[in-house]
Amino acid sequence: SDLYTIPYVIPVQQSTQVTVTWNTSSSTVIDNAAIDSLATPDLQDYINSLGPGQYINFYEMQYIFQEAVVDIIPTPLITHIEFSVTVNGQALTPAVNTGVVVGDPEGYYYATTADITFVRG
């Protein structure tokens, strides 16, 4: 017979929320809304660009955050960056001795602008 079964997987969308806790030693007053408007699009693009089976890299998010806000907070003045990642309602922590979190290996991450939040602290 010339019939072949070809299995394929339709990737599942994983609802992803990221909270960024940040702080600075800058003497300039920096509004959290300004940080939000600068960093949200780039972090959202990063999350949404990850394909099935890829992991979320905290170090890459740190770099993206620093680059996004460098015009109002020079990198040497950033004193704290911490990420909390929730995928499908489950908080994920980095694997031991890494800076990466992994969701469903057959799924892809998806975040809206409302899913990326910032807290100064």
Side-chain angles (χ1 to χ4, degrees):
S1 134
D2 288 339
L3 297 175
Y4 302 95
T5 302
I6 302 173
Y8 65 94
V9 175
I10 298 173
V12 295
Q13 180 175 294
Q14 300 178 90
S15 176
T16 307
Q17 292 79 39
V18 177
T19 300
V20 182
T21 304
W22 66 277
N23 213 336
T24 180
S25 61
S26 175
S27 58
T28 305
V29 175
I30 299 170
D31 186 46
N32 199 53
I35 297 298
D36 188 338
S37 68
L38 290 171
T40 294
D42 294 341
L43 287 170
Q44 180 189 16
D45 287 347
Y46 169 69
I47 295 295
N48 292 343
S49 72
L50 297 171
Q54 290 186 297
Y55 50 81
I56 298 172
N57 188 323
F58 282 31
Y59 303 117
E60 182 67 16
M61 289 196 303
Q62 180 176 323
Y63 175 77
I64 291 167
F65 176 82
Q66 290 172 324
E67 288 294 305
V69 302
V70 72
D71 289 340
I72 60 173
I73 308 175
T75 302
L77 298 181
I78 296 173
T79 58
H80 183 77
I81 303 172
E82 183 178 333
F83 298 98
S84 298
V85 175
T86 304
V87 175
N88 293 333
Q90 179 182 1
L92 299 180
T93 56
V96 176
N97 297 323
T98 75
V100 300
V101 293
V102 181
D104 184 336
E106 294 180 355
Y108 64 94
Y109 304 100
Y110 180 77
T112 66
T113 55
D115 292 325
I116 313 289
T117 57
F118 298 87
V119 177
R120 187 167 184 172

